[in-house]
PDB file of all heavy atoms in Angstrom:
ATOM      1  N   VAL T 259      88.184 103.518 102.813  1.00  0.00           N
ATOM      2  CA  VAL T 259      87.222 102.923 103.748  1.00  0.00           C
ATOM      3  C   VAL T 259      87.899 101.831 104.566  1.00  0.00           C
ATOM      4  O   VAL T 259      87.742 101.759 105.799  1.00  0.00           O
ATOM      5  CB  VAL T 259      86.003 102.347 102.992  1.00  0.00           C
ATOM      6  CG1 VAL T 259      85.119 101.538 103.947  1.00  0.00           C
ATOM      7  CG2 VAL T 259      85.192 103.459 102.355  1.00  0.00           C
ATOM      8  N   LEU T 263      88.330 101.219 108.908  1.00  0.00           N
ATOM      9  CA  LEU T 263      87.359 100.287 109.467  1.00  0.00           C
ATOM     10  C   LEU T 263      87.462 100.271 110.980  1.00  0.00           C
ATOM     11  O   LEU T 263      88.565 100.315 111.542  1.00  0.00           O
ATOM     12  CB  LEU T 263      87.607  98.870 108.935  1.00  0.00           C
ATOM     13  CG  LEU T 263      87.222  98.581 107.489  1.00  0.00           C
ATOM     14  CD1 LEU T 263      87.622  97.148 107.127  1.00  0.00           C
ATOM     15  CD2 LEU T 263      85.732  98.793 107.256  1.00  0.00           C
ATOM     16  N   PRO T 264      86.338 100.203 111.694  1.00  0.00           N
ATOM     17  CA  PRO T 264      86.395 100.100 113.153  1.00  0.00           C
ATOM     18  C   PRO T 264      86.989  98.767 113.564  1.00  0.00           C
ATOM     19  O   PRO T 264      86.785  97.743 112.893  1.00  0.00           O
ATOM     20  CB  PRO T 264      84.917 100.211 113.566  1.00  0.00           C
ATOM     21  CG  PRO T 264      84.147  99.759 112.365  1.00  0.00           C
ATOM     22  CD  PRO T 264      84.946 100.192 111.176  1.00  0.00           C
ATOM     23  N   ASN T 267      83.176  96.099 114.914  1.00  0.00           N
ATOM     24  CA  ASN T 267      82.002  96.667 114.263  1.00  0.00           C
ATOM     25  C   ASN T 267      80.737  96.261 115.005  1.00  0.00           C
ATOM     26  O   ASN T 267      80.388  95.083 115.056  1.00  0.00           O
ATOM     27  CB  ASN T 267      81.932  96.193 112.805  1.00  0.00           C
ATOM     28  CG  ASN T 267      80.675  96.685 112.116  1.00  0.00           C
ATOM     29  OD1 ASN T 267      80.220  97.794 112.374  1.00  0.00           O
ATOM     30  ND2 ASN T 267      80.116  95.853 111.262  1.00  0.00           N
ATOM     31  N   VAL T 269      77.805  97.942 114.353  1.00  0.00           N
ATOM     32  CA  VAL T 269      76.700  98.495 113.572  1.00  0.00           C
ATOM     33  C   VAL T 269      76.172  97.444 112.611  1.00  0.00           C
ATOM     34  O   VAL T 269      76.874  97.038 111.686  1.00  0.00           O
ATOM     35  CB  VAL T 269      77.146  99.745 112.797  1.00  0.00           C
ATOM     36  CG1 VAL T 269      75.973 100.311 111.986  1.00  0.00           C
ATOM     37  CG2 VAL T 269      77.703 100.793 113.749  1.00  0.00           C
ATOM     38  N   GLN T 270      74.962  96.984 112.837  1.00  0.00           N
ATOM     39  CA  GLN T 270      74.368  95.999 111.956  1.00  0.00           C
ATOM     40  C   GLN T 270      74.166  96.613 110.569  1.00  0.00           C
ATOM     41  O   GLN T 270      73.679  97.714 110.413  1.00  0.00           O
ATOM     42  CB  GLN T 270      73.020  95.516 112.501  1.00  0.00           C
ATOM     43  CG  GLN T 270      72.430  94.346 111.716  1.00  0.00           C
ATOM     44  CD  GLN T 270      71.160  93.836 112.373  1.00  0.00           C
ATOM     45  OE1 GLN T 270      70.625  94.474 113.276  1.00  0.00           O
ATOM     46  NE2 GLN T 270      70.680  92.692 111.926  1.00  0.00           N
ATOM     47  N   GLY T 271      74.580  95.897 109.550  1.00  0.00           N
ATOM     48  CA  GLY T 271      74.424  96.395 108.194  1.00  0.00           C
ATOM     49  C   GLY T 271      75.491  97.374 107.757  1.00  0.00           C
ATOM     50  O   GLY T 271      75.348  98.017 106.708  1.00  0.00           O
ATOM     51  N   PHE T 272      76.596  97.491 108.532  1.00  0.00           N
ATOM     52  CA  PHE T 272      77.649  98.432 108.183  1.00  0.00           C
ATOM     53  C   PHE T 272      78.164  98.189 106.767  1.00  0.00           C
ATOM     54  O   PHE T 272      78.371  99.135 105.993  1.00  0.00           O
ATOM     55  CB  PHE T 272      78.807  98.333 109.184  1.00  0.00           C
ATOM     56  CG  PHE T 272      80.034  99.110 108.780  1.00  0.00           C
ATOM     57  CD1 PHE T 272      80.097 100.477 108.986  1.00  0.00           C
ATOM     58  CD2 PHE T 272      81.122  98.471 108.193  1.00  0.00           C
ATOM     59  CE1 PHE T 272      81.222 101.201 108.608  1.00  0.00           C
ATOM     60  CE2 PHE T 272      82.247  99.188 107.817  1.00  0.00           C
ATOM     61  CZ  PHE T 272      82.297 100.545 108.023  1.00  0.00           C
ATOM     62  N   TYR T 273      78.371  96.923 106.421  1.00  0.00           N
ATOM     63  CA  TYR T 273      78.946  96.608 105.113  1.00  0.00           C
ATOM     64  C   TYR T 273      77.947  96.755 103.972  1.00  0.00           C
ATOM     65  O   TYR T 273      78.303  96.576 102.812  1.00  0.00           O
ATOM     66  CB  TYR T 273      79.568  95.215 105.129  1.00  0.00           C
ATOM     67  CG  TYR T 273      80.865  95.200 105.907  1.00  0.00           C
ATOM     68  CD1 TYR T 273      80.895  94.832 107.253  1.00  0.00           C
ATOM     69  CD2 TYR T 273      82.052  95.604 105.318  1.00  0.00           C
ATOM     70  CE1 TYR T 273      82.081  94.862 107.974  1.00  0.00           C
ATOM     71  CE2 TYR T 273      83.238  95.635 106.028  1.00  0.00           C
ATOM     72  CZ  TYR T 273      83.248  95.267 107.349  1.00  0.00           C
ATOM     73  OH  TYR T 273      84.423  95.313 108.063  1.00  0.00           O
ATOM     74  N   ARG T 274      76.693  97.084 104.321  1.00  0.00           N
ATOM     75  CA  ARG T 274      75.709  97.398 103.282  1.00  0.00           C
ATOM     76  C   ARG T 274      75.289  98.870 103.345  1.00  0.00           C
ATOM     77  O   ARG T 274      74.321  99.267 102.719  1.00  0.00           O
ATOM     78  CB  ARG T 274      74.485  96.496 103.440  1.00  0.00           C
ATOM     79  CG  ARG T 274      74.811  95.024 103.194  1.00  0.00           C
ATOM     80  CD  ARG T 274      73.575  94.168 103.168  1.00  0.00           C
ATOM     81  NE  ARG T 274      73.889  92.777 102.900  1.00  0.00           N
ATOM     82  CZ  ARG T 274      72.987  91.818 102.719  1.00  0.00           C
ATOM     83  NH1 ARG T 274      71.702  92.121 102.812  1.00  0.00           N
ATOM     84  NH2 ARG T 274      73.357  90.586 102.466  1.00  0.00           N
ATOM     85  N   SER T 275      76.062  99.640 104.095  1.00  0.00           N
ATOM     86  CA  SER T 275      75.765 101.066 104.226  1.00  0.00           C
ATOM     87  C   SER T 275      76.060 101.778 102.907  1.00  0.00           C
ATOM     88  O   SER T 275      76.742 101.259 102.017  1.00  0.00           O
ATOM     89  CB  SER T 275      76.595 101.682 105.346  1.00  0.00           C
ATOM     90  OG  SER T 275      77.975 101.645 105.019  1.00  0.00           O
ATOM     91  N   GLU T 276      75.551 102.995 102.805  1.00  0.00           N
ATOM     92  CA  GLU T 276      75.723 103.758 101.564  1.00  0.00           C
ATOM     93  C   GLU T 276      77.198 104.027 101.259  1.00  0.00           C
ATOM     94  O   GLU T 276      77.639 103.900 100.107  1.00  0.00           O
ATOM     95  CB  GLU T 276      74.965 105.084 101.664  1.00  0.00           C
ATOM     96  CG  GLU T 276      75.054 105.929 100.399  1.00  0.00           C
ATOM     97  CD  GLU T 276      74.287 107.242 100.511  1.00  0.00           C
ATOM     98  OE1 GLU T 276      73.622 107.452 101.546  1.00  0.00           O
ATOM     99  OE2 GLU T 276      74.375 108.048  99.563  1.00  0.00           O
ATOM    100  N   VAL T 278      79.938 102.333 102.206  1.00  0.00           N
ATOM    101  CA  VAL T 278      80.646 101.124 101.792  1.00  0.00           C
ATOM    102  C   VAL T 278      80.170 100.670 100.417  1.00  0.00           C
ATOM    103  O   VAL T 278      80.972 100.316  99.542  1.00  0.00           O
ATOM    104  CB  VAL T 278      80.460 100.007 102.834  1.00  0.00           C
ATOM    105  CG1 VAL T 278      81.054  98.695 102.324  1.00  0.00           C
ATOM    106  CG2 VAL T 278      81.120 100.408 104.150  1.00  0.00           C
ATOM    107  N   THR T 279      78.871 100.661 100.217  1.00  0.00           N
ATOM    108  CA  THR T 279      78.324 100.207  98.932  1.00  0.00           C
ATOM    109  C   THR T 279      78.839 101.065  97.783  1.00  0.00           C
ATOM    110  O   THR T 279      79.206 100.544  96.713  1.00  0.00           O
ATOM    111  CB  THR T 279      76.786 100.239  98.964  1.00  0.00           C
ATOM    112  OG1 THR T 279      76.326  99.369  99.985  1.00  0.00           O
ATOM    113  CG2 THR T 279      76.208  99.795  97.629  1.00  0.00           C
ATOM    114  N   VAL T 282      82.444 100.118  97.121  1.00  0.00           N
ATOM    115  CA  VAL T 282      82.515  98.798  96.487  1.00  0.00           C
ATOM    116  C   VAL T 282      82.121  98.896  95.013  1.00  0.00           C
ATOM    117  O   VAL T 282      82.775  98.313  94.138  1.00  0.00           O
ATOM    118  CB  VAL T 282      81.608  97.786  97.224  1.00  0.00           C
ATOM    119  CG1 VAL T 282      81.424  96.512  96.397  1.00  0.00           C
ATOM    120  CG2 VAL T 282      82.199  97.448  98.590  1.00  0.00           C
ATOM    121  N   LEU T 308      87.194  90.856 100.360  1.00  0.00           N
ATOM    122  CA  LEU T 308      86.873  91.059 101.775  1.00  0.00           C
ATOM    123  C   LEU T 308      85.521  91.754 101.932  1.00  0.00           C
ATOM    124  O   LEU T 308      84.664  91.308 102.703  1.00  0.00           O
ATOM    125  CB  LEU T 308      87.968  91.880 102.442  1.00  0.00           C
ATOM    126  CG  LEU T 308      87.698  92.224 103.912  1.00  0.00           C
ATOM    127  CD1 LEU T 308      87.939  91.011 104.798  1.00  0.00           C
ATOM    128  CD2 LEU T 308      88.557  93.402 104.369  1.00  0.00           C
ATOM    129  N   PHE T 309      85.325  92.848 101.208  1.00  0.00           N
ATOM    130  CA  PHE T 309      84.088  93.625 101.357  1.00  0.00           C
ATOM    131  C   PHE T 309      82.877  92.886 100.798  1.00  0.00           C
ATOM    132  O   PHE T 309      81.784  92.967 101.376  1.00  0.00           O
ATOM    133  CB  PHE T 309      84.249  94.996 100.696  1.00  0.00           C
ATOM    134  CG  PHE T 309      84.980  95.986 101.549  1.00  0.00           C
ATOM    135  CD1 PHE T 309      86.357  96.085 101.497  1.00  0.00           C
ATOM    136  CD2 PHE T 309      84.295  96.806 102.427  1.00  0.00           C
ATOM    137  CE1 PHE T 309      87.049  96.991 102.290  1.00  0.00           C
ATOM    138  CE2 PHE T 309      84.953  97.721 103.233  1.00  0.00           C
ATOM    139  CZ  PHE T 309      86.343  97.818 103.167  1.00  0.00           C
ATOM    140  N   LEU T 310      83.041  92.183  99.711  1.00  0.00           N
ATOM    141  CA  LEU T 310      81.919  91.440  99.135  1.00  0.00           C
ATOM    142  C   LEU T 310      81.479  90.306 100.061  1.00  0.00           C
ATOM    143  O   LEU T 310      80.282  90.041 100.220  1.00  0.00           O
ATOM    144  CB  LEU T 310      82.300  90.888  97.763  1.00  0.00           C
ATOM    145  CG  LEU T 310      82.457  91.945  96.656  1.00  0.00           C
ATOM    146  CD1 LEU T 310      83.056  91.306  95.412  1.00  0.00           C
ATOM    147  CD2 LEU T 310      81.130  92.619  96.339  1.00  0.00           C
ATOM    148  N   ILE T 311      82.440  89.661 100.693  1.00  0.00           N
ATOM    149  CA  ILE T 311      82.095  88.588 101.638  1.00  0.00           C
ATOM    150  C   ILE T 311      81.394  89.168 102.858  1.00  0.00           C
ATOM    151  O   ILE T 311      80.361  88.656 103.297  1.00  0.00           O
ATOM    152  CB  ILE T 311      83.359  87.804 102.044  1.00  0.00           C
ATOM    153  CG1 ILE T 311      83.837  86.936 100.879  1.00  0.00           C
ATOM    154  CG2 ILE T 311      83.089  86.929 103.276  1.00  0.00           C
ATOM    155  CD1 ILE T 311      85.160  86.248 101.121  1.00  0.00           C
ATOM    156  N   ARG T 312      81.930  90.254 103.390  1.00  0.00           N
ATOM    157  CA  ARG T 312      81.328  90.822 104.601  1.00  0.00           C
ATOM    158  C   ARG T 312      79.962  91.452 104.336  1.00  0.00           C
ATOM    159  O   ARG T 312      79.166  91.600 105.258  1.00  0.00           O
ATOM    160  CB  ARG T 312      82.293  91.829 105.226  1.00  0.00           C
ATOM    161  CG  ARG T 312      83.530  91.161 105.804  1.00  0.00           C
ATOM    162  CD  ARG T 312      84.391  92.117 106.596  1.00  0.00           C
ATOM    163  NE  ARG T 312      85.524  91.424 107.190  1.00  0.00           N
ATOM    164  CZ  ARG T 312      86.475  92.022 107.910  1.00  0.00           C
ATOM    165  NH1 ARG T 312      86.413  93.326 108.120  1.00  0.00           N
ATOM    166  NH2 ARG T 312      87.477  91.315 108.414  1.00  0.00           N
ATOM    167  N   SER T 313      79.695  91.806 103.094  1.00  0.00           N
ATOM    168  CA  SER T 313      78.366  92.309 102.753  1.00  0.00           C
ATOM    169  C   SER T 313      77.481  91.201 102.172  1.00  0.00           C
ATOM    170  O   SER T 313      76.387  91.474 101.688  1.00  0.00           O
ATOM    171  CB  SER T 313      78.472  93.469 101.765  1.00  0.00           C
ATOM    172  OG  SER T 313      79.162  93.090 100.592  1.00  0.00           O
ATOM    173  N   GLU T 314      77.983  89.960 102.254  1.00  0.00           N
ATOM    174  CA  GLU T 314      77.234  88.759 101.871  1.00  0.00           C
ATOM    175  C   GLU T 314      76.821  88.752 100.399  1.00  0.00           C
ATOM    176  O   GLU T 314      75.776  88.224 100.016  1.00  0.00           O
ATOM    177  CB  GLU T 314      76.014  88.579 102.781  1.00  0.00           C
ATOM    178  CG  GLU T 314      76.403  88.447 104.248  1.00  0.00           C
ATOM    179  CD  GLU T 314      75.212  88.369 105.175  1.00  0.00           C
ATOM    180  OE1 GLU T 314      74.211  87.745 104.801  1.00  0.00           O
ATOM    181  OE2 GLU T 314      75.295  88.957 106.269  1.00  0.00           O
ATOM    182  N   ARG T 315      77.684  89.306  99.567  1.00  0.00           N
ATOM    183  CA  ARG T 315      77.490  89.273  98.121  1.00  0.00           C
ATOM    184  C   ARG T 315      78.326  88.113  97.585  1.00  0.00           C
ATOM    185  O   ARG T 315      79.371  88.280  96.976  1.00  0.00           O
ATOM    186  CB  ARG T 315      77.869  90.620  97.516  1.00  0.00           C
ATOM    187  CG  ARG T 315      76.966  91.741  98.011  1.00  0.00           C
ATOM    188  CD  ARG T 315      77.480  93.137  97.706  1.00  0.00           C
ATOM    189  NE  ARG T 315      77.528  93.453  96.286  1.00  0.00           N
ATOM    190  CZ  ARG T 315      77.710  94.682  95.808  1.00  0.00           C
ATOM    191  NH1 ARG T 315      77.812  95.712  96.668  1.00  0.00           N
ATOM    192  NH2 ARG T 315      77.771  94.911  94.515  1.00  0.00           N
TER     193      ARG T 315
END
Side-chain angles (χ1 to χ4, degrees):
V259 171
L263 287 177
N267 176 36
V269 180
Q270 188 175 11
F272 171 80
Y273 286 95
R274 295 188 178 185
S275 65
E276 182 180 356
V278 173
T279 299
V282 167
L308 177 76
F309 279 89
L310 290 171
I311 288 173
R312 291 188 177 178
S313 57
E314 301 176 37
R315 296 167 66 167

